[in-house]
Coordinates of all heavy atoms in Angstrom, one line a residue:
G1 N 0.8 -1.2 0.0 CA 0.0 0.0 0.0 C 0.8 1.3 0.0 O 2.0 1.3 0.5
L2 N 0.3 2.3 -0.5 CA 1.0 3.6 -0.5 C 0.5 4.4 0.7 O -0.7 4.6 1.0 CB 0.6 4.4 -1.8 CG 1.4 5.6 -2.1 CD1 2.9 5.3 -2.4 CD2 0.9 6.4 -3.3
M3 N 1.5 4.8 1.5 CA 1.2 5.3 2.8 C 1.9 6.7 3.0 O 3.1 6.8 2.7 CB 1.6 4.4 3.9 CG 1.3 4.8 5.3 SD 2.0 3.7 6.6 CE 3.7 4.2 6.4
S4 N 1.2 7.6 3.6 CA 1.8 8.9 4.0 C 1.4 9.3 5.4 O 0.3 8.9 5.8 CB 1.5 10.0 3.0 OG 2.2 11.1 3.2
T5 N 2.1 10.1 6.1 CA 1.8 10.7 7.4 C 1.1 12.0 7.2 O 1.8 12.9 6.6 CB 3.0 10.7 8.3 OG1 3.6 9.4 8.4 CG2 2.5 11.2 9.7
L6 N -0.1 12.2 7.6 CA -0.8 13.5 7.5 C -0.9 14.1 8.9 O -0.9 13.5 9.9 CB -2.2 13.2 6.9 CG -2.3 12.5 5.6 CD1 -3.7 12.4 5.1 CD2 -1.4 13.2 4.5
P7 N -1.1 15.4 8.9 CA -1.1 16.2 10.2 C -2.5 16.0 10.9 O -3.5 15.7 10.3 CB -0.9 17.6 9.7 CG -1.5 17.7 8.4 CD -1.1 16.4 7.7
T8 N -2.5 16.2 12.2 CA -3.7 16.2 13.0 C -3.7 17.5 13.7 O -2.7 18.2 14.0 CB -3.8 15.0 13.9 OG1 -2.6 15.0 14.7 CG2 -4.0 13.8 13.2
F9 N -5.0 17.9 14.2 CA -5.1 19.2 14.8 C -5.9 19.2 16.1 O -6.4 20.2 16.6 CB -5.8 20.2 13.8 CG -5.1 20.4 12.5 CD1 -5.3 19.6 11.4 CD2 -4.1 21.4 12.4 CE1 -4.5 19.8 10.3 CE2 -3.4 21.6 11.3 CZ -3.6 20.8 10.2
G10 N -6.1 17.9 16.6 CA -6.9 17.8 17.8 C -6.0 17.9 19.0 O -4.8 18.3 18.9
P11 N -6.5 17.5 20.2 CA -5.7 17.6 21.5 C -4.4 16.7 21.4 O -3.4 17.1 22.0 CB -6.6 17.0 22.5 CG -8.0 17.2 21.9 CD -7.9 17.0 20.5
D12 N -4.4 15.6 20.6 CA -3.3 14.7 20.5 C -2.7 14.9 19.1 O -2.4 14.0 18.4 CB -3.7 13.3 20.7 CG -4.3 13.1 22.0 OD1 -3.8 13.6 23.0 OD2 -5.3 12.3 22.1
S13 N -2.4 16.2 18.7 CA -2.1 16.5 17.3 C -0.6 16.4 17.0 O -0.2 16.7 15.9 CB -2.7 17.9 16.9 OG -2.1 18.8 17.7
T14 N 0.2 16.1 17.9 CA 1.7 16.2 17.7 C 2.2 15.2 16.7 O 3.1 15.4 16.0 CB 2.4 16.1 19.0 OG1 2.1 14.9 19.7 CG2 2.1 17.3 19.9
N15 N 1.5 14.0 16.7 CA 2.1 12.9 15.9 C 1.5 12.7 14.5 O 2.2 12.1 13.6 CB 1.8 11.6 16.7 CG 2.8 11.4 17.8 OD1 3.9 11.7 17.7 ND2 2.2 11.0 19.0
G16 N 0.3 13.3 14.2 CA -0.3 13.0 12.9 C -0.8 11.6 12.8 O -0.9 10.9 13.8
F17 N -1.2 11.2 11.6 CA -1.7 9.8 11.4 C -1.2 9.3 10.1 O -1.0 10.0 9.1 CB -3.2 9.7 11.5 CG -3.9 10.4 10.3 CD1 -4.4 9.6 9.3 CD2 -4.2 11.7 10.3 CE1 -5.0 10.2 8.2 CE2 -4.9 12.3 9.2 CZ -5.3 11.5 8.2
D18 N -1.0 8.0 10.1 CA -0.5 7.3 8.9 C -1.7 6.8 8.1 O -2.6 6.1 8.6 CB 0.4 6.1 9.2 CG 1.6 6.5 10.0 OD1 2.2 7.5 9.5 OD2 2.0 5.9 11.0
F19 N -1.8 7.2 6.8 CA -2.9 6.9 5.9 C -2.5 5.9 4.9 O -1.6 6.2 4.1 CB -3.4 8.2 5.3 CG -4.7 8.2 4.7 CD1 -5.8 7.4 5.1 CD2 -5.0 9.0 3.6 CE1 -7.0 7.3 4.5 CE2 -6.2 9.0 2.9 CZ -7.2 8.1 3.4
I20 N -3.2 4.8 4.8 CA -2.8 3.7 3.9 C -4.1 2.9 3.5 O -4.9 2.6 4.4 CB -1.8 2.8 4.5 CG1 -1.4 1.7 3.5 CG2 -2.2 2.2 5.8 CD1 -0.1 0.8 4.0
D21 N -4.4 2.7 2.3 CA -3.7 2.9 1.0 C -4.2 4.2 0.3 O -5.4 4.4 0.3 CB -4.0 1.7 0.1 CG -3.4 1.7 -1.2 OD1 -2.4 2.5 -1.4 OD2 -3.9 1.0 -2.1
M22 N -3.3 5.0 -0.2 CA -3.6 6.2 -0.8 C -3.7 6.1 -2.3 O -3.8 7.2 -3.0 CB -2.6 7.3 -0.5 CG -2.4 7.5 1.0 SD -1.4 9.0 1.3 CE 0.0 8.8 0.2
G23 N -3.8 4.9 -2.9 CA -4.0 4.8 -4.3 C -3.1 3.8 -5.1 O -3.1 3.8 -6.3
A24 N -2.3 3.0 -4.3 CA -1.5 2.0 -5.0 C -2.4 1.0 -5.7 O -2.0 0.4 -6.7 CB -0.6 1.4 -4.1
N25 N -3.6 0.7 -5.2 CA -4.5 -0.3 -5.7 C -5.9 0.2 -5.8 O -6.5 0.8 -4.9 CB -4.5 -1.5 -4.7 CG -3.1 -2.0 -4.4 OD1 -2.5 -2.7 -5.1 ND2 -2.6 -1.6 -3.2
A26 N -6.5 0.1 -7.0 CA -7.8 0.6 -7.2 C -8.9 -0.3 -6.6 O -10.0 0.1 -6.2 CB -8.1 0.7 -8.7
D27 N -8.6 -1.6 -6.5 CA -9.5 -2.6 -5.9 C -8.8 -3.4 -4.8 O -7.6 -3.8 -5.0 CB -10.0 -3.6 -7.0 CG -10.8 -2.9 -8.1 OD1 -11.9 -2.3 -7.7 OD2 -10.4 -2.8 -9.2
N28 N -9.4 -3.5 -3.7 CA -8.8 -4.3 -2.6 C -9.8 -5.3 -2.0 O -11.0 -5.1 -2.0 CB -8.4 -3.3 -1.5 CG -7.2 -2.5 -1.8 OD1 -7.3 -1.3 -1.9 ND2 -6.1 -3.1 -1.8
K29 N -9.2 -6.4 -1.6 CA -9.9 -7.5 -0.9 C -9.8 -7.2 0.6 O -8.9 -6.4 1.0 CB -9.4 -8.8 -1.2 CG -9.5 -9.2 -2.7 CD -8.8 -10.6 -2.9 CE -8.9 -11.0 -4.4 NZ -8.2 -12.3 -4.7
P30 N -10.7 -7.7 1.5 CA -10.6 -7.5 2.9 C -9.2 -7.8 3.5 O -8.7 -7.1 4.3 CB -11.6 -8.4 3.5 CG -12.6 -8.6 2.4 CD -11.9 -8.5 1.1
E31 N -8.6 -8.9 3.0 CA -7.3 -9.3 3.6 C -6.2 -8.2 3.3 O -5.2 -8.1 4.0 CB -6.8 -10.7 3.1 CG -6.8 -10.8 1.5 CD -8.1 -11.4 1.0 OE1 -9.2 -11.2 1.6 OE2 -8.0 -12.1 0.0
H32 N -6.3 -7.5 2.1 CA -5.4 -6.5 1.8 C -5.4 -5.4 2.9 O -4.4 -4.9 3.4 CB -5.6 -5.9 0.5 CG -5.6 -6.8 -0.7 ND1 -6.3 -6.7 -1.9 CD2 -5.0 -8.0 -0.8 CE1 -6.0 -7.7 -2.7 NE2 -5.2 -8.5 -2.0
I33 N -6.6 -5.0 3.3 CA -6.8 -3.9 4.2 C -6.4 -4.3 5.6 O -5.8 -3.5 6.4 CB -8.3 -3.3 4.2 CG1 -8.6 -2.9 2.7 CG2 -8.4 -2.2 5.1 CD1 -10.0 -2.4 2.5
V34 N -6.6 -5.5 5.9 CA -6.1 -6.0 7.2 C -4.6 -6.0 7.2 O -4.0 -5.6 8.2 CB -6.6 -7.5 7.5 CG1 -5.9 -8.0 8.7 CG2 -8.1 -7.5 7.6
T35 N -3.9 -6.3 6.1 CA -2.5 -6.2 6.0 C -2.0 -4.8 6.2 O -1.0 -4.5 6.8 CB -2.0 -6.8 4.6 OG1 -2.3 -8.1 4.5 CG2 -0.5 -6.6 4.5
Y36 N -2.8 -3.8 5.6 CA -2.4 -2.4 5.8 C -2.4 -2.0 7.2 O -1.6 -1.2 7.7 CB -3.4 -1.5 5.0 CG -3.4 -1.7 3.5 CD1 -4.5 -1.4 2.7 CD2 -2.3 -2.3 2.9 CE1 -4.5 -1.6 1.4 CE2 -2.3 -2.5 1.5 CZ -3.4 -2.2 0.8 OH -3.4 -2.4 -0.6
A37 N -3.3 -2.6 8.0 CA -3.4 -2.3 9.4 C -2.1 -2.7 10.1 O -1.6 -2.0 11.0 CB -4.6 -2.9 10.1
V38 N -1.6 -3.9 9.7 CA -0.4 -4.4 10.3 C 0.8 -3.6 9.9 O 1.7 -3.2 10.7 CB -0.1 -5.9 9.9 CG1 1.2 -6.4 10.4 CG2 -1.3 -6.8 10.4
L39 N 0.8 -3.2 8.6 CA 1.9 -2.4 8.1 C 1.9 -1.0 8.8 O 3.0 -0.5 9.2 CB 1.7 -2.2 6.6 CG 1.9 -3.4 5.6 CD1 1.5 -3.0 4.2 CD2 3.3 -3.9 5.7
G40 N 0.8 -0.4 8.9 CA 0.7 0.9 9.5 C 1.1 0.9 11.0 O 1.7 1.8 11.5
T41 N 0.7 -0.2 11.7 CA 1.1 -0.4 13.1 C 2.6 -0.5 13.2 O 3.2 0.2 14.1 CB 0.4 -1.6 13.7 OG1 -1.0 -1.4 13.7 CG2 0.9 -1.9 15.1

């Protein structure tokens, strides 16, 4: 997956958040998105 860190502006805004997948795959199966959760973690 294509992943980038985006800013946050809430009370816990210092770290931002990692956003995946941003467009590497037009179609995904459930197992792909579960894998993204592991990658992002």
Side-chain angles (χ1 to χ4, degrees):
L2 193 62
M3 183 188 73
S4 189
T5 303
L6 304 184
T8 51
F9 300 89
D12 304 317
S13 62
T14 54
N15 285 316
F17 70 96
D18 298 317
F19 192 34
I20 181 171
D21 177 23
M22 302 192 311
N25 308 281
D27 297 295
N28 286 110
K29 297 176 182 178
E31 54 266 31
H32 301 155
I33 302 177
V34 173
T35 297
Y36 298 154
V38 176
L39 294 174
T41 295

